[in-house]
Amino acid sequence: VNNFTDLSPNLQAGLINLNYRGDLVGSPMTVGLIEAGKFEEAAVELLKHKEYLERKKKKSKGDSVTKRLEFVAELLKKEV
């Protein structure tokens, strides 16, 4: 994310977590939207993550993958 240092500390932490877990690698569109400052669209795109969708179909409760992605999607929506 080229504009990483311009983002809020909370969003930076969330993106570091996603990157560490490999969630950003599979979503270059999300990264592009973040870099373009289109945070609402990035939040929507982030939740198109394959593993997220599969786990939501199974209705896995308390699932760390879905919680992590939803948390960062909310951070993206709050970014100004």
Side-chain angles (χ1 to χ4, degrees), residues 3-4 11 14 17 25-26 29-31 34 37 39-43 58 63 65-66 71 73 76 79-80:
N3 59 339
F4 182 81
L11 183 53
N17 187 290
V25 174
M29 179 75 114
T30 300
V31 173
I34 293 168
F39 301 110
E40 288 276 341
E41 292 175 48
K58 293 179 184 175
D63 182 273
V65 172
T66 58
F71 179 74
L76 283 163
E79 195 70 15
V80 177

Side-chain angles (χ1 to χ4, degrees), residues 42-59:
V44 171
E45 185 64 32
L46 179 63
L47 296 182
K48 293 179 182 177
H49 189 283
K50 181 181 175 183
E51 189 174 3
Y52 173 82
L53 295 173
E54 288 172 358
R55 289 171 182 253
K56 286 302 269 190
K57 278 184 186 177
K58 293 179 184 175
K59 298 183 180 178

